[in-house]
Amino acid sequence: ARALLGLLPAQRFALLGSPIQQSPSPAMHNAAFAALGLPHNYRLLETAAVDDEQVVALLRAADFGGASVTIPHKQTVMPLLDSLTPAAERIGAVNTVIPVNDGKGGRKLLGDNTDYLGIVDRLRQAQLDCSGTADGRLPAVADAKALVIGAGGTARAALFALHTLGVRSAIVFNRTAARAQELVTEFSDLFDSLKSVDSLEQAAETDKLAYIVGTIPGCDLMIPEALFAQPAGVALDMAYKPRWTPLLEAAQRHSGWTVVHGVAVLVEQGIHQFEKWTSLTAPAAIMGDAVYAQYNAQF
């Protein structure tokens, strides 16, 4: 109603990343704007360099409402921002840009991270799903161990999510071992034990490995069946193309394991983004329906 009365100016929102042409984020956020009568628009802004003129112009525009940031810009966008939330600063990656009033009649750009919130939400739901199965012998979270596959900005969010969930012991695998070790160095204070491994076969030797989070898009890794030796566990893959990644395909062959598709995390983190941008309660069901309508048609 406020929009119809002209009291609420239209704002522009965008997804920054590459490649992003198949992203369902515009469908998700535009459905939410429409449901609440907001005059805003969310579009794709594919860019190889997050500091190009088009992106900078959008971020500093008077009608800029917010941005989502995806691969490969979750770390390179940070120098363009004026400040970070404590979570984004600790994670060292940003997937949400929020314009905030500076108290002097101007605006500043705040970087936040909702990836970790989406991961936490879906892992908590998966814990409940796992406990309801006949093989639901998921170890207590403080006793369980976790594996993160990858070492980019999304892997950083995954480690922070696991810490938030209460996991105390984790391992990191990345094909470039030095990058995995960098994460271990940066995040070791959040865990009782955090180590890198040289192979997934080595990771499979970990006792009580009950949480596996994949963060590599288009991952073609061979997934050892031995990773799923624990009678019950949760495998979550942030990649949502294809629907069944090698990690999730392997996990679903083990009856005690619950799988979480990346598209589910996309919806959860998008709900958090919407609420941070608008300070309104997100129409979660409508956002989810919009995402799955596009996703199911594509994949």
Side-chain angles (χ1 to χ4, degrees):
R2 286 179 295 169
L4 295 175
L5 293 172
L7 300 179
L8 187 64
Q11 294 181 319
R12 291 185 292 157
F13 297 76
L15 171 63
L16 313 177
S18 181
I20 57 174
Q21 290 307 310
Q22 291 183 310
S23 172
S25 290
M28 171 172 63
H29 287 297
N30 286 327
F33 293 147
L36 297 187
L38 302 175
H40 309 325
N41 178 260
Y42 184 110
R43 68 186 180 97
L44 300 177
L45 205 170
E46 180 145 357
T47 176
V50 77
D51 59 351
D52 73 13
E53 292 183 5
Q54 188 179 12
V55 173
V56 173
L58 172 67
L59 295 180
R60 296 298 176 181
D63 63 348
F64 172 63
S68 310
V69 185
T70 190
I71 293 170
H73 303 316
K74 292 182 181 182
Q75 292 173 271
T76 55
V77 74
M78 294 166 69
L80 301 180
L81 309 178
D82 298 299
S83 60
L84 303 174
T85 62
E89 187 168 8
R90 185 63 188 85
I91 291 167
V94 164
N95 82 319
T96 306
V97 180
I98 309 164
V100 295
N101 294 327
D102 63 4
K104 303 175 183 178
R107 299 200 302 173
K108 291 186 177 296
L109 298 177
L110 174 67
D112 203 349
N113 192 299
T114 64
D115 277 337
Y116 94 93
L117 294 171
I119 295 170
V120 169
D121 288 347
R122 298 314 305 177
L123 286 180
R124 284 182 173 150
Q125 181 59 52
Q127 287 175 327
L128 296 175
D129 295 343
C130 209
S131 65
T133 67
D135 295 315
R137 295 183 290 275
L138 195 65
V141 69
D143 297 328
K145 295 181 176 65
L147 164 65
V148 173
I149 302 172
T154 309
R156 290 170 169 271
L159 283 171
F160 193 71
L162 290 164
H163 160 72
T164 303
L165 200 67
V167 172
R168 296 177 182 173
S169 179
I171 53 179
V172 180
F173 168 73
N174 191 61
R175 280 180 280 204
T176 305
R179 294 196 65 198
Q181 189 54 46
E182 287 176 13
L183 261 64
V184 169
T185 300
E186 289 190 43
F187 287 86
S188 59
D189 62 312
L190 299 183
F191 296 88
D192 293 343
S193 174
L194 180 62
K195 301 176 181 177
S196 62
V197 292
D198 296 327
S199 68
L200 290 177
E201 287 75 17
Q202 184 182 351
E205 298 171 4
T206 304
D207 184 43
K208 292 186 178 180
L209 181 60
Y211 297 94
I212 304 175
V213 181
T215 69
I216 302 175
C219 180
D220 58 356
L221 288 170
M222 294 294 294
I223 306 297
E225 296 293 330
L227 281 175
F228 311 100
Q230 175 67 32
V234 180
L236 180 155
D237 204 325
M238 292 293 282
Y240 57 86
K241 299 178 289 184
R243 182 186 298 263
W244 287 97
T245 63
L247 172 62
L248 298 186
E249 275 194 341
Q252 61 90 26
R253 291 194 288 268
H254 299 264
S255 61
W257 279 70
T258 297
V259 301
V260 179
H261 293 271
V263 67
V265 181
L266 174 76
V267 173
E268 293 292 343
Q269 66 80 30
I271 290 168
H272 287 285
Q273 283 183 329
F274 183 90
E275 294 184 344
K276 288 174 180 291
W277 289 330
T278 66
S279 298
L280 300 171
T281 299
I286 289 172
M287 294 173 76
D289 288 346
V291 168
Y292 282 103
Q294 178 175 328
Y295 185 72
N296 290 338
Q298 288 177 330
F299 304 102

